[in-house]
Amino acid sequence: MSDPLRPRASLRTAVVWEVLRDALDRRVKAAGQESLEVLDTGGGSGKFAVPLARLGHRVTVVDPSPNALFALERRAAEAGVADLVRGVQGDAHGLFDVVERGGYDLVLCHGVLEYMDDPAEGVRNAAAALRPAGTLSLLAAGLGGAVLARALAGHFTEARQALTDPAGHWGAGDPVTRRFTADQLSELVAEAGLEVSAVQGVRIFADLVPGVLVDAEPGALDALLRLEAAAAELPAFHSVATQLHVLAERG
């Protein structure tokens, strides 16, 4: 079986998967067991949950959409991991109405905070779901990436709106409710009682490079993946990333 954490079509997720794999390896060694309990809040159709289950971990996905959970069930079945993936309808606000506190080795909170009225509550709940020494993976929209993207598209007024708006929202047509800086996400994590272990920029270049350049040039995809990985941990590039990934641990 090919490594599910290194898909070819991974420009949007390769950096995140690399860090998650290392975190999983550390947690497996610390826990002394091969199979971990994972919670994926807002996990949708299982883009992260199913590959994690294919590695042998038990994954609970909480999502408000019945359609997404149906797609998750089908995806897990097709991957042969239906026994390791459980979908539950709910959201980050009422997380403990559907899952237990302190029951998970790894909690994913990906693409959730952007749509919460109170992002701090979302992070607190995710942290409270962790076991001692558990790990939180937090992925959220980056402010700088949106400003840069709007400006490069010639939408200068929208770029300035995103830059000056407290939520990083660029206008009525913006599908994302709020965006964050790396410092804001790190602060939310610290306030929830966790210690930040890594901050990465995600999709620093991938959303800006025309697809034809990647598709037409032999080896371009791999080269772009390597470039993304090399820049991901450099603070200078966090301010222009489309997404920001924060890994944190409970002491």
Side-chain angles (χ1 to χ4, degrees), residues 156-174:
F156 307 121
T157 299
E158 292 177 351
R160 186 175 184 278
Q161 173 67 19
L163 185 63
T164 58
D165 184 78
H169 194 70
W170 52 253
D174 191 347

Side-chain angles (χ1 to χ4, degrees), residues 46-131:
K47 179 174 65 175
F48 283 88
V50 170
L52 286 169
R54 290 179 63 193
L55 292 178
H57 303 297
R58 296 179 295 273
V59 188
T60 298
V61 176
V62 176
D63 197 278
S65 168
N67 290 336
L69 293 175
F70 176 77
L72 168 70
E73 183 179 354
R74 182 176 58 194
R75 193 174 195 169
E78 291 173 351
V81 292
D83 58 326
L84 293 175
V85 177
R86 180 173 70 103
V88 182
Q89 189 170 3
D91 58 31
H93 174 72
L95 187 61
F96 299 115
D97 294 335
V98 294
V99 301
E100 64 176 310
R101 292 178 180 269
Y104 299 92
D105 299 288
L106 171 67
V107 174
L108 309 184
C109 186
H110 293 178
V112 173
L113 300 186
E114 295 93 324
Y115 306 101
M116 293 192 70
D117 292 334
D118 185 359
E121 179 189 25
V123 178
R124 286 195 302 269
N125 285 350
L130 289 171
R131 289 173 173 169

Side-chain angles (χ1 to χ4, degrees), residues 2-249:
S2 62
D3 186 348
L5 301 189
R6 299 285 302 200
R8 286 287 297 172
S10 62
L11 278 174
R12 294 176 178 269
T13 59
V15 168
V16 178
W17 278 125
E18 191 70 26
V19 173
L20 280 181
R21 181 167 60 181
D22 290 343
L24 285 166
D25 289 345
R26 291 195 303 271
R27 186 61 182 143
V28 162
K29 291 178 182 177
Q33 56 189 36
E34 292 297 322
S35 182
L36 302 178
E37 293 291 341
V38 179
L39 174 64
D40 189 353
T41 65
S45 62
K47 179 174 65 175
F48 283 88
V50 170
L52 286 169
R54 290 179 63 193
L55 292 178
H57 303 297
R58 296 179 295 273
V59 188
T60 298
V61 176
V62 176
D63 197 278
S65 168
N67 290 336
L69 293 175
F70 176 77
L72 168 70
E73 183 179 354
R74 182 176 58 194
R75 193 174 195 169
E78 291 173 351
V81 292
D83 58 326
L84 293 175
V85 177
R86 180 173 70 103
V88 182
Q89 189 170 3
D91 58 31
H93 174 72
L95 187 61
F96 299 115
D97 294 335
V98 294
V99 301
E100 64 176 310
R101 292 178 180 269
Y104 299 92
D105 299 288
L106 171 67
V107 174
L108 309 184
C109 186
H110 293 178
V112 173
L113 300 186
E114 295 93 324
Y115 306 101
M116 293 192 70
D117 292 334
D118 185 359
E121 179 189 25
V123 178
R124 286 195 302 269
N125 285 350
L130 289 171
R131 289 173 173 169
T135 299
L136 170 65
S137 175
L138 183 64
L139 184 67
L143 171 62
V147 174
L148 185 60
R150 300 318 290 170
L152 291 178
H155 303 299
F156 307 121
T157 299
E158 292 177 351
R160 186 175 184 278
Q161 173 67 19
L163 185 63
T164 58
D165 184 78
H169 194 70
W170 52 253
D174 191 347
V176 178
T177 304
R178 66 177 70 246
R179 295 179 175 87
F180 302 87
T181 65
D183 287 343
Q184 287 172 335
L185 290 177
S186 296
E187 184 177 342
L188 289 173
V189 166
E191 289 174 351
L194 304 182
E195 182 175 347
V196 174
S197 57
V199 179
Q200 295 180 301
V202 179
R203 291 156 57 189
I204 296 168
F205 308 103
D207 290 355
L208 302 177
V209 176
V212 64
L213 296 182
V214 178
D215 297 335
E217 184 71 23
L221 175 62
D222 287 340
L224 183 53
L225 282 169
R226 290 193 296 271
L227 177 61
E228 288 277 353
E233 295 186 7
L234 299 177
F237 290 98
H238 294 168
S239 60
V240 295
T242 299
Q243 291 180 307
L244 294 163
H245 182 227
V246 176
L247 202 71
E249 298 178 354

